[in-house]
Amino acid sequence: MGFSILPPTEVGCPIPENTPHAVSVTLPTWEATVAYEEGEDWVVQKMSSGYPRFFVHSRIQELCAWAEQRYGRPGECAWAFPTFEIAKRCRDFVRARSDHKKIRIMQLTTPHNDEGVPPVTIVFVFVPVALKPICKQYWQHTGEGISSRLGEFCLEEFSVIPKTDGHVKDYNAFHGSKFEEKVSAKPISESAEMQTFVEERFGRNLDGKFAAEAKEALQKRISSQIKHCSQNDVFLYPTGMTAIFSAHRAILEIAGDHKSICFGFPYVDTLNILRKFGPGVHFLGNGEDVDIDEVERLCKEEKILALFCEVPSNPLLKTPDLKRLRALADKYNFAIIVDDTVGNMLNIDVHDYADVVASSLTKVFSGDSNVMGGCVVLNSKSPWYSKFQETLEHQYEDTVWGEDAIYLERNSRDFAERNSHINQNAEAVVELLEKSPLVKKVFYPKTAPSKHHYEAIKTENGGYGGLVSIVLNDEDSAKRFFDTLQTAKGPSLGTNFTLTCPYAILAHYGELDFVESFGVDRNLVRISVGLEPKEELIRVFEKALSVCQ
């Protein structure tokens, strides 16, 4: 395993290159990242890809343009969603933030075809063009917009574009009713009856009709790694943010309209969800042990709905004291919802403390940066378990597009092997960075002040993950280091290749003073370490550091 570092360097190029449904995009310099945030044409006009919740894929843009031309009214724009219930949530979100109450919803169904693929329903929300930014907020925060592969499928079925061989439609690649699971060495363990896919042997893609089997395989693969968990406790979602949003929707229905607590500095849209959907949030952005006293003070003053946290946090890699938080949750009757994306289920086990775990499967679980996915996992030992199960039974809609499930299943077969390799590479990179006098601070679970909290949840064979953040001695050094570093550069993390970004600039450009008050330096560089040969990786980082001397 491992490959040479040959990152794309052209502004706006998909990461990986030549990948129609890539989930990252090349922003090769600090200047280009700033220009992207400021909407400068020399960057924005070259964007052929982007992180899907922020950048509407060209196929989805084409589908919406077709709907606008055919069914729209003057001054309207269209947004596409996979179900009527999601479209209604978007409509309600827009109505709550505007004076426009006449927002149209239109549902279309693709025609029957000769390939055995059942008709697909697509739902358009038509809003005045002036309200487009509000629709985009809903799209970004919740991740509930349609997948680019679904958009492409609908374009073909509605005869907007010619059909291609790009879809997972090679029926001859499936041999028989049984699948032979291609997995790596332990700890991925699945039963002998576990069905799997064989299309990789023949260099073909599997028939899209077997999406249900792909989803079942994903549920089994995930549940096999988690104690107190069965296949039925795993709920699949099209994005990690959708998983978090769905957990939030569920607890709101279960326990009523009360504020939650966001403990620690989280990924930007987790906080957006808690702020914009429901009664609001208490934000304890430092997430230190001392802040747990504030959690208890809040619980004494008011009913708390749930506590949301990341383990470890992105980008500061802090691990909260879950044991103490669990004790408070039991005492004051609130739920703990943990996002374990950065740590991942192979490295850490939070189920002794969390009632619900939400994860982005887009990241290291997939690794290939060509498909989105997420999951919610319920803890069967939780006092909230039966209420979450009952609520999700009627709230849950399976909106994972079948083709995406097939890619996700295929990508994740060697999850354990890749995770182990990434853990080792990241430790080597951290060792180098910590020795450098040019690096003022390294953020990493193994070296953080909260290391003992991480160790308490670390699995027997787990490591510390592939995410590292650093602050160099000054802004000029940070820019030179980043511009020189020969890795892929753009949004996302957990990719099979090393991926770097100036995180605060990319995620918080409009609120740099605010994030710095919680320890996120405006010149912080976030590094997601990949599978490259360790020696080559070290050389690349040594070279980038050398220009800062």
Side-chain angles (χ1 to χ4, degrees):
M1 183 173 294
F3 45 86
S4 295
I5 301 174
L6 294 172
T9 57
E10 184 179 347
V11 170
C13 177
I15 305 175
E17 287 183 284
N18 303 314
T19 302
H21 301 280
V23 303
S24 190
V25 62
T26 303
L27 296 169
T29 63
W30 199 283
E31 180 188 17
T33 307
V34 170
Y36 166 72
E37 290 297 325
E38 295 186 346
E40 294 188 19
D41 286 346
W42 70 273
V43 172
V44 175
Q45 295 301 320
K46 294 181 180 178
M47 301 280 285
S48 60
S49 180
Y51 198 75
R53 287 188 301 102
F54 292 83
F55 179 88
V56 181
H57 192 278
S58 59
R59 287 308 195 201
I60 299 174
Q61 292 183 44
E62 290 175 50
L63 180 65
C64 290
W66 169 79
E68 290 163 7
Q69 183 179 22
R70 187 160 183 173
Y71 303 104
R73 296 170 182 171
E76 285 186 332
C77 65
W79 290 80
F81 296 95
T83 72
F84 185 66
E85 289 300 317
I86 293 173
K88 286 197 297 181
R89 286 199 288 274
C90 178
R91 178 189 63 189
D92 293 345
F93 182 84
V94 175
R95 281 178 172 173
R97 289 158 178 81
S98 71
D99 296 328
H100 293 268
K101 304 304 178 186
K102 293 184 178 180
I103 296 171
R104 298 192 302 125
I105 296 177
M106 185 190 70
Q107 183 169 296
L108 295 178
T109 302
T110 60
H112 288 271
N113 59 50
D114 298 328
E115 298 170 328
V117 180
V120 171
T121 297
I122 194 83
V123 186
F124 293 97
V125 176
F126 288 92
V127 301
V129 171
L131 302 184
K132 182 176 181 178
I134 302 178
C135 274
K136 191 170 184 181
Q137 283 183 43
Y138 186 88
W139 181 284
Q140 173 189 321
H141 301 335
T142 70
E144 289 194 315
I146 65 167
S147 132
S148 55
R149 289 186 178 90
L150 173 54
E152 188 169 66
F153 175 84
C154 290
L155 284 170
E156 292 181 355
E157 295 303 304
F158 290 134
S159 300
V160 182
I161 63 172
K163 291 192 177 185
T164 69
D165 294 329
H167 289 310
V168 184
K169 293 178 181 175
D170 186 352
Y171 300 164
N172 295 323
F174 180 69
H175 292 254
S177 61
K178 290 291 182 182
F179 295 20
E180 297 176 29
E181 175 70 352
K182 171 189 169 274
V183 297
S184 58
K186 302 294 182 182
I188 293 290
S189 59
E190 299 172 20
S191 66
E193 292 80 21
M194 182 63 201
Q195 294 181 320
T196 190
F197 301 99
V198 297
E199 88 327 306
E200 232 175 29
R201 294 183 179 183
F202 307 96
R204 302 173 181 173
N205 285 326
L206 184 68
D207 185 342
K209 290 185 295 184
F210 294 95
E213 284 86 345
K215 294 177 183 181
E216 182 180 2
L218 288 167
Q219 288 175 299
K220 289 183 177 180
R221 184 165 299 153
I222 293 165
S223 63
S224 69
Q225 299 306 311
I226 301 169
K227 62 187 178 184
H228 314 321
C229 178
S230 71
Q231 177 185 339
N232 293 331
D233 298 326
V234 178
F235 296 81
L236 299 177
Y237 292 91
T239 73
M241 289 316 304
T242 311
I244 293 172
F245 181 58
S246 297
H248 181 52
R249 287 180 52 233
I251 192 61
L252 280 170
E253 179 174 325
I254 292 166
D257 283 347
H258 304 285
K259 287 186 177 182
S260 292
I261 292 172
C262 182
F263 191 80
F265 192 89
Y267 176 70
V268 58
D269 279 317
T270 297
L271 194 55
N272 281 328
I273 285 171
L274 299 178
R275 282 173 169 167
K276 297 183 181 183
F277 299 87
V281 60
H282 296 288
F283 179 41
L284 306 183
N286 289 316
E288 302 284 358
D289 289 355
V290 67
D291 296 304
I292 300 180
D293 294 336
E294 178 65 7
V295 173
E296 183 156 27
R297 187 192 68 79
L298 289 168
C299 289
K300 289 177 179 178
E301 291 186 352
E302 63 182 275
K303 170 63 179 174
I304 295 298
L305 183 69
L307 183 144
F308 288 75
C309 63
E310 296 177 347
V311 183
S313 64
N314 173 19
L316 297 181
L317 288 307
K318 293 181 181 180
T319 304
D321 185 348
L322 289 176
K323 183 177 181 180
R324 190 176 166 201
L325 290 172
R326 179 73 258 167
L328 289 179
D330 292 338
K331 181 177 180 179
Y332 293 101
N333 194 32
F334 62 83
I336 293 182
I337 299 172
V338 171
D339 178 355
D340 72 343
T341 299
V342 172
N344 88 54
M345 67 191 76
L346 294 183
N347 289 326
I348 59 173
D349 181 1
V350 300
H351 286 76
D352 283 337
Y353 309 106
D355 300 292
V356 177
V357 179
S359 303
S360 172
L361 303 179
T362 308
K363 310 306 191 296
V364 70
F365 184 82
S366 169
D368 276 342
S369 190
N370 63 1
V371 66
M372 300 281 280
C375 69
V376 159
V377 178
L378 303 184
N379 180 357
S380 64
K381 301 297 183 182
S382 161
W384 295 85
Y385 176 71
S386 60
K387 293 180 180 179
F388 270 104
Q389 273 282 8
E390 180 182 346
T391 303
L392 286 177
E393 275 183 16
H394 69 265
Q395 279 193 357
Y396 180 74
E397 294 181 287
D398 180 4
T399 56
V400 178
W401 177 234
E403 193 176 347
D404 290 326
I406 288 173
Y407 273 87
L408 193 57
E409 188 283 328
R410 181 180 63 185
N411 293 351
S412 62
R413 293 178 196 171
D414 59 353
F415 172 34
E417 184 181 357
R418 288 184 292 104
N419 179 67
S420 178
H421 190 159
I422 286 171
N423 286 341
Q424 295 171 36
N425 275 358
E427 288 205 43
V429 170
V430 167
E431 184 177 356
L432 170 68
L433 294 171
E434 286 206 306
K435 289 178 181 177
S436 173
L438 304 167
V439 178
K440 183 162 61 176
K441 190 161 187 179
V442 176
F443 300 90
Y444 185 60
K446 186 178 181 179
T447 61
S450 59
K451 177 185 177 182
H452 57 295
H453 296 321
Y454 188 96
E455 295 289 350
I457 55 173
K458 183 170 167 288
T459 61
E460 182 179 355
N461 296 313
Y464 298 93
L467 201 65
V468 184
S469 295
I470 62 171
V471 176
L472 285 93
N473 288 333
D474 52 60
E475 180 180 359
D476 182 62
S477 294
K479 292 178 178 179
R480 284 189 290 152
F481 171 83
F482 180 78
D483 290 353
T484 304
L485 191 66
Q486 292 181 318
T487 69
K489 297 173 188 175
S492 198
L493 58 90
T495 46
N496 291 338
F497 45 87
T498 298
L499 181 64
T500 314
C501 70
Y503 181 79
I505 299 296
L506 191 59
H508 299 281
Y509 188 68
E511 52 180 11
L512 292 174
D513 291 339
F514 170 73
V515 301
E516 284 198 325
S517 70
F518 295 102
V520 182
D521 192 286
R522 67 186 62 214
N523 298 312
L524 181 143
V525 176
R526 193 187 69 179
I527 304 158
S528 178
V529 179
L531 297 172
E532 296 88 354
K534 188 182 301 182
E535 297 77 13
E536 184 174 351
L537 202 54
I538 295 300
R539 284 197 300 271
V540 165
F541 279 92
E542 286 177 336
K543 180 179 178 181
L545 288 169
S546 70
V547 304
C548 302
Q549 294 177 349

Coordinates of all heavy atoms in Angstrom, one line a residue, residues 371-432:
V371 N -16.9 9.9 -3.1 CA -18.2 9.6 -2.7 C -18.5 10.2 -1.3 O -17.5 10.2 -0.4 CB -18.5 8.1 -2.7 CG1 -17.7 7.4 -1.7 CG2 -20.0 7.9 -2.5
M372 N -19.7 10.7 -1.0 CA -20.1 11.2 0.3 C -20.9 10.1 1.0 O -21.5 9.2 0.4 CB -20.9 12.4 0.2 CG -20.2 13.6 -0.5 SD -19.1 14.5 0.5 CE -20.2 15.5 1.5
G373 N -20.8 10.1 2.4 CA -21.6 9.2 3.2 C -21.5 9.5 4.6 O -20.6 10.2 5.1
G374 N -22.5 9.1 5.4 CA -22.5 9.3 6.8 C -23.3 8.2 7.5 O -24.0 7.4 6.9
C375 N -23.2 8.1 8.8 CA -24.0 7.2 9.6 C -24.3 7.6 11.0 O -23.5 8.4 11.5 CB -23.3 5.8 9.6 SG -21.8 5.7 10.6
V376 N -25.4 7.2 11.5 CA -25.7 7.3 12.9 C -25.7 5.9 13.5 O -26.3 5.0 12.9 CB -27.1 8.0 13.1 CG1 -27.7 7.7 14.5 CG2 -27.0 9.5 12.9
V377 N -25.1 5.8 14.6 CA -25.0 4.5 15.3 C -25.6 4.7 16.7 O -25.1 5.5 17.5 CB -23.6 3.9 15.4 CG1 -23.6 2.6 16.2 CG2 -23.0 3.7 14.0
L378 N -26.6 3.9 17.1 CA -27.2 3.9 18.4 C -26.6 3.0 19.3 O -26.2 1.9 18.9 CB -28.7 3.6 18.3 CG -29.6 4.5 17.3 CD1 -31.0 4.1 17.4 CD2 -29.4 6.0 17.6
N379 N -26.5 3.4 20.6 CA -25.9 2.5 21.6 C -27.0 1.8 22.3 O -27.9 2.4 23.0 CB -25.2 3.4 22.6 CG -24.5 2.6 23.8 OD1 -24.7 1.4 23.9 ND2 -23.8 3.3 24.6
S380 N -27.1 0.5 22.2 CA -28.2 -0.3 22.7 C -28.2 -0.3 24.2 O -29.2 -0.7 24.8 CB -28.1 -1.7 22.1 OG -26.9 -2.4 22.6
K381 N -27.1 0.1 24.8 CA -27.0 0.1 26.3 C -27.4 1.5 26.9 O -27.5 1.7 28.1 CB -25.6 -0.2 26.8 CG -25.1 -1.6 26.4 CD -26.0 -2.7 26.9 CE -25.5 -4.1 26.6 NZ -26.3 -5.2 27.1
S382 N -27.7 2.4 26.0 CA -28.1 3.8 26.4 C -29.5 3.8 27.0 O -30.4 3.2 26.5 CB -28.0 4.7 25.2 OG -28.7 5.9 25.4
P383 N -29.7 4.7 28.0 CA -31.0 4.9 28.5 C -32.0 5.5 27.5 O -33.2 5.5 27.6 CB -30.8 5.8 29.7 CG -29.5 6.4 29.5 CD -28.7 5.4 28.8
W384 N -31.4 6.1 26.4 CA -32.2 6.8 25.4 C -32.4 5.9 24.2 O -33.1 6.3 23.2 CB -31.4 8.0 24.9 CG -31.2 9.1 25.9 CD1 -30.2 9.2 26.8 CD2 -32.1 10.2 26.1 NE1 -30.4 10.4 27.5 CE2 -31.5 11.0 27.1 CE3 -33.2 10.7 25.4 CZ2 -32.1 12.2 27.6 CZ3 -33.8 11.9 25.9 CH2 -33.2 12.6 26.9
Y385 N -31.9 4.7 24.3 CA -31.9 3.8 23.1 C -33.3 3.6 22.5 O -33.5 3.8 21.3 CB -31.3 2.4 23.4 CG -31.3 1.4 22.3 CD1 -30.5 1.6 21.2 CD2 -32.1 0.3 22.4 CE1 -30.5 0.7 20.1 CE2 -32.2 -0.6 21.3 CZ -31.3 -0.4 20.2 OH -31.4 -1.4 19.2
S386 N -34.3 3.1 23.3 CA -35.6 2.8 22.7 C -36.3 4.0 22.2 O -37.0 4.0 21.1 CB -36.5 2.2 23.8 OG -36.6 3.1 24.9
K387 N -36.0 5.2 22.8 CA -36.6 6.4 22.2 C -36.0 6.8 20.9 O -36.7 7.3 20.0 CB -36.5 7.6 23.3 CG -37.3 7.3 24.6 CD -37.1 8.5 25.5 CE -37.8 8.3 26.8 NZ -37.6 9.3 27.8
F388 N -34.7 6.7 20.8 CA -34.1 7.0 19.5 C -34.5 6.0 18.4 O -34.8 6.4 17.3 CB -32.6 7.0 19.6 CG -32.0 8.3 20.0 CD1 -31.5 8.6 21.3 CD2 -31.9 9.3 19.0 CE1 -31.0 9.8 21.6 CE2 -31.4 10.6 19.3 CZ -30.9 10.8 20.6
Q389 N -34.6 4.7 18.8 CA -35.0 3.7 17.8 C -36.4 4.0 17.3 O -36.7 4.0 16.1 CB -35.0 2.3 18.4 CG -33.7 1.6 18.3 CD -33.5 1.0 16.9 OE1 -34.2 1.3 16.0 NE2 -32.4 0.3 16.7
E390 N -37.3 4.3 18.3 CA -38.7 4.6 17.9 C -38.8 5.8 17.1 O -39.6 5.9 16.1 CB -39.5 4.8 19.2 CG -41.0 5.1 19.0 CD -41.8 5.3 20.3 OE1 -41.2 4.9 21.3 OE2 -42.9 5.8 20.2
T391 N -38.1 6.9 17.4 CA -38.2 8.1 16.7 C -37.6 8.0 15.3 O -38.2 8.5 14.3 CB -37.4 9.2 17.4 OG1 -38.0 9.4 18.7 CG2 -37.5 10.6 16.7
L392 N -36.4 7.3 15.1 CA -35.8 7.2 13.8 C -36.7 6.2 12.9 O -36.6 6.4 11.7 CB -34.4 6.6 14.0 CG -33.4 7.7 14.5 CD1 -32.0 7.0 14.6 CD2 -33.3 8.9 13.5
E393 N -37.4 5.4 13.5 CA -38.3 4.5 12.7 C -39.2 5.3 11.8 O -39.5 4.9 10.7 CB -39.1 3.5 13.6 CG -38.3 2.3 14.0 CD -39.1 1.3 14.8 OE1 -40.4 1.5 14.9 OE2 -38.6 0.4 15.5
H394 N -39.7 6.4 12.3 CA -40.7 7.2 11.5 C -40.0 8.4 10.9 O -40.5 8.9 9.9 CB -41.9 7.5 12.3 CG -41.7 8.5 13.3 ND1 -41.5 8.2 14.7 CD2 -41.7 9.9 13.3 CE1 -41.4 9.3 15.4 NE2 -41.5 10.3 14.6
Q395 N -38.9 8.9 11.5 CA -38.2 10.0 10.9 C -37.3 9.6 9.7 O -37.1 10.4 8.8 CB -37.3 10.7 11.9 CG -38.1 11.7 12.8 CD -37.1 12.6 13.6 OE1 -35.9 12.5 13.5 NE2 -37.7 13.5 14.4
Y396 N -36.7 8.5 9.8 CA -35.6 8.1 8.9 C -36.2 7.9 7.5 O -37.2 7.2 7.2 CB -34.9 6.8 9.4 CG -33.8 6.4 8.5 CD1 -32.6 7.1 8.4 CD2 -34.0 5.3 7.6 CE1 -31.6 6.7 7.6 CE2 -32.9 4.9 6.8 CZ -31.7 5.5 6.8 OH -30.7 5.1 6.0
E397 N -35.5 8.4 6.5 CA -35.7 8.1 5.1 C -34.3 7.7 4.5 O -33.3 8.4 4.7 CB -36.2 9.3 4.3 CG -37.6 9.8 4.7 CD -38.0 11.0 3.9 OE1 -37.5 12.1 4.1 OE2 -38.8 10.9 3.0
D398 N -34.3 6.6 3.8 CA -33.1 6.2 3.1 C -32.9 7.0 1.9 O -33.5 6.7 0.9 CB -33.2 4.7 2.8 CG -31.9 4.2 2.1 OD1 -30.9 4.9 2.0 OD2 -31.9 3.0 1.7
T399 N -32.0 8.0 2.0 CA -31.7 8.9 0.9 C -30.3 8.7 0.3 O -29.8 9.5 -0.4 CB -31.9 10.3 1.3 OG1 -31.1 10.6 2.4 CG2 -33.4 10.6 1.7
V400 N -29.7 7.6 0.7 CA -28.4 7.2 0.1 C -28.6 6.7 -1.3 O -29.2 5.6 -1.5 CB -27.6 6.2 1.0 CG1 -26.3 5.9 0.4 CG2 -27.4 6.8 2.4
W401 N -28.1 7.4 -2.3 CA -28.3 7.0 -3.7 C -27.5 5.7 -3.9 O -26.4 5.5 -3.4 CB -27.8 8.1 -4.6 CG -27.9 7.7 -6.1 CD1 -26.8 7.8 -6.9 CD2 -29.0 7.3 -6.8 NE1 -27.2 7.4 -8.2 CE2 -28.6 7.1 -8.2 CE3 -30.3 6.9 -6.5 CZ2 -29.4 6.6 -9.2 CZ3 -31.2 6.5 -7.5 CH2 -30.7 6.3 -8.8
G402 N -28.2 4.7 -4.5 CA -27.6 3.4 -4.6 C -26.2 3.3 -5.2 O -25.3 2.5 -4.7
E403 N -25.9 4.1 -6.2 CA -24.6 4.1 -6.8 C -23.6 4.6 -5.8 O -22.4 4.1 -5.8 CB -24.6 5.0 -8.0 CG -23.4 4.8 -8.9 CD -23.5 5.6 -10.2 OE1 -24.6 6.1 -10.5 OE2 -22.5 5.8 -10.9
D404 N -23.9 5.6 -5.0 CA -23.0 6.1 -4.0 C -22.7 5.0 -2.9 O -21.6 4.8 -2.5 CB -23.6 7.3 -3.3 CG -23.6 8.5 -4.2 OD1 -22.7 8.7 -5.0 OD2 -24.5 9.3 -4.0
A405 N -23.8 4.2 -2.6 CA -23.6 3.1 -1.6 C -22.6 2.1 -2.2 O -21.8 1.5 -1.4 CB -24.9 2.5 -1.3
I406 N -22.7 1.8 -3.4 CA -21.8 0.8 -4.0 C -20.4 1.3 -4.0 O -19.4 0.5 -3.7 CB -22.3 0.5 -5.5 CG1 -23.6 -0.4 -5.3 CG2 -21.2 -0.3 -6.2 CD1 -24.3 -0.6 -6.7
Y407 N -20.2 2.5 -4.4 CA -18.8 3.1 -4.3 C -18.3 3.1 -2.9 O -17.1 2.7 -2.6 CB -18.8 4.5 -4.8 CG -18.6 4.6 -6.3 CD1 -19.6 4.5 -7.2 CD2 -17.3 4.7 -6.9 CE1 -19.5 4.6 -8.6 CE2 -17.1 4.8 -8.3 CZ -18.2 4.7 -9.1 OH -18.0 4.8 -10.5
L408 N -19.1 3.4 -1.9 CA -18.7 3.5 -0.5 C -18.4 2.1 0.0 O -17.4 1.9 0.7 CB -19.8 4.1 0.3 CG -19.5 4.5 1.7 CD1 -18.3 5.5 1.8 CD2 -20.7 5.1 2.4
E409 N -19.2 1.1 -0.4 CA -18.9 -0.3 0.0 C -17.5 -0.7 -0.5 O -16.7 -1.3 0.2 CB -20.0 -1.2 -0.4 CG -19.9 -2.6 0.1 CD -18.9 -3.5 -0.6 OE1 -18.6 -3.3 -1.8 OE2 -18.3 -4.4 0.1
R410 N -17.3 -0.5 -1.8 CA -16.1 -0.9 -2.4 C -14.9 -0.2 -1.8 O -13.9 -0.9 -1.5 CB -16.1 -0.6 -3.9 CG -14.9 -1.1 -4.7 CD -15.0 -0.8 -6.2 NE -15.1 0.7 -6.4 CZ -15.3 1.2 -7.6 NH1 -15.5 0.4 -8.7 NH2 -15.3 2.5 -7.8
N411 N -15.0 1.1 -1.6 CA -13.9 1.9 -1.1 C -13.5 1.4 0.3 O -12.3 1.5 0.7 CB -14.2 3.4 -1.0 CG -14.3 4.0 -2.4 OD1 -14.0 3.4 -3.4 ND2 -14.8 5.2 -2.4
S412 N -14.4 1.0 1.1 CA -14.2 0.8 2.5 C -13.7 -0.7 2.9 O -13.5 -1.0 4.0 CB -15.5 1.1 3.3 OG -16.5 0.2 3.0
R413 N -13.6 -1.5 1.9 CA -13.2 -2.9 2.2 C -11.8 -3.0 2.9 O -11.7 -3.9 3.7 CB -13.2 -3.7 0.9 CG -14.5 -3.9 0.3 CD -14.4 -4.6 -1.0 NE -15.6 -4.5 -1.8 CZ -15.7 -4.9 -3.1 NH1 -14.7 -5.5 -3.6 NH2 -16.9 -4.8 -3.7
D414 N -10.9 -2.1 2.5 CA -9.6 -2.2 3.2 C -9.4 -1.1 4.2 O -8.3 -0.6 4.5 CB -8.5 -2.1 2.1 CG -8.5 -0.9 1.3 OD1 -9.5 -0.1 1.4 OD2 -7.6 -0.7 0.5
F415 N -10.5 -0.6 4.8 CA -10.5 0.4 5.8 C -9.5 0.2 6.9 O -8.7 1.1 7.2 CB -12.0 0.6 6.3 CG -12.1 1.5 7.5 CD1 -11.4 2.6 7.6 CD2 -13.1 1.2 8.4 CE1 -11.6 3.5 8.7 CE2 -13.3 2.0 9.5 CZ -12.6 3.2 9.7
A416 N -9.5 -1.0 7.4 CA -8.6 -1.3 8.6 C -7.2 -1.2 8.2 O -6.3 -0.6 8.9 CB -8.9 -2.7 9.1
E417 N -6.8 -1.7 7.0 CA -5.4 -1.7 6.6 C -5.0 -0.3 6.3 O -3.9 0.1 6.7 CB -5.3 -2.5 5.3 CG -3.8 -2.7 4.8 CD -3.7 -3.5 3.5 OE1 -4.8 -4.0 3.1 OE2 -2.6 -3.6 3.0
R418 N -5.8 0.5 5.7 CA -5.5 1.9 5.4 C -5.4 2.7 6.7 O -4.5 3.5 6.8 CB -6.5 2.5 4.4 CG -6.4 2.0 3.0 CD -7.4 2.7 2.1 NE -8.8 2.4 2.4 CZ -9.7 3.2 3.1 NH1 -9.2 4.4 3.5 NH2 -10.9 2.9 3.3
N419 N -6.3 2.5 7.6 CA -6.3 3.2 8.8 C -5.0 3.0 9.6 O -4.4 3.9 10.1 CB -7.5 2.8 9.7 CG -7.5 3.5 11.0 OD1 -7.7 4.7 11.1 ND2 -7.3 2.7 12.1
S420 N -4.5 1.7 9.7 CA -3.3 1.4 10.4 C -2.1 2.1 9.7 O -1.2 2.7 10.4 CB -3.0 -0.1 10.4 OG -1.8 -0.4 11.0
H421 N -2.0 2.1 8.4 CA -1.0 2.8 7.7 C -1.0 4.3 7.9 O 0.1 4.9 8.1 CB -1.1 2.5 6.2 CG 0.1 2.8 5.3 ND1 0.3 2.3 4.1 CD2 1.1 3.7 5.5 CE1 1.4 2.8 3.6 NE2 1.9 3.7 4.4
I422 N -2.1 4.9 7.9 CA -2.2 6.3 8.1 C -1.8 6.7 9.5 O -1.1 7.7 9.7 CB -3.7 6.8 7.8 CG1 -3.9 6.8 6.3 CG2 -4.0 8.2 8.4 CD1 -5.4 7.0 5.9
N423 N -2.2 5.9 10.5 CA -1.8 6.1 11.9 C -0.3 6.2 12.0 O 0.3 7.1 12.6 CB -2.3 5.0 12.8 CG -3.8 5.1 13.1 OD1 -4.4 6.2 12.9 ND2 -4.4 4.0 13.5
Q424 N 0.4 5.2 11.4 CA 1.9 5.2 11.4 C 2.5 6.4 10.7 O 3.4 7.0 11.2 CB 2.3 3.9 10.8 CG 1.9 2.6 11.6 CD 2.3 1.3 10.8 OE1 3.3 1.3 10.1 NE2 1.4 0.4 10.9
N425 N 2.0 6.7 9.6 CA 2.5 7.9 8.8 C 2.3 9.2 9.6 O 3.2 10.0 9.7 CB 1.8 8.0 7.5 CG 2.5 7.1 6.4 OD1 3.4 6.5 6.6 ND2 1.9 7.2 5.2
A426 N 1.2 9.3 10.2 CA 0.9 10.6 11.0 C 1.9 10.7 12.1 O 2.4 11.8 12.4 CB -0.5 10.6 11.4
E427 N 2.1 9.6 12.8 CA 3.0 9.7 14.0 C 4.4 10.1 13.5 O 5.1 10.9 14.2 CB 3.1 8.4 14.7 CG 1.8 8.1 15.5 CD 2.1 7.1 16.7 OE1 3.1 7.3 17.4 OE2 1.3 6.2 16.8
A428 N 4.9 9.6 12.4 CA 6.2 10.0 11.8 C 6.2 11.5 11.5 O 7.2 12.2 11.7 CB 6.5 9.1 10.6
V429 N 5.1 12.0 10.8 CA 5.1 13.4 10.5 C 5.1 14.3 11.7 O 5.8 15.3 11.8 CB 3.8 13.6 9.6 CG1 3.6 15.1 9.4 CG2 4.0 13.0 8.2
V430 N 4.3 13.9 12.7 CA 4.3 14.6 14.0 C 5.6 14.7 14.6 O 6.1 15.7 15.1 CB 3.2 14.0 14.9 CG1 3.4 14.6 16.3 CG2 1.8 14.3 14.4
E431 N 6.3 13.6 14.6 CA 7.7 13.5 15.2 C 8.6 14.5 14.6 O 9.4 15.3 15.2 CB 8.3 12.1 15.1 CG 9.6 12.0 15.8 CD 10.1 10.5 15.8 OE1 9.4 9.7 15.3 OE2 11.3 10.3 16.2
L432 N 8.5 14.6 13.2 CA 9.3 15.6 12.5 C 8.9 17.0 12.9 O 9.8 17.9 13.1 CB 9.2 15.3 11.0 CG 9.8 16.4 10.1 CD1 11.3 16.4 10.2 CD2 9.3 16.2 8.6

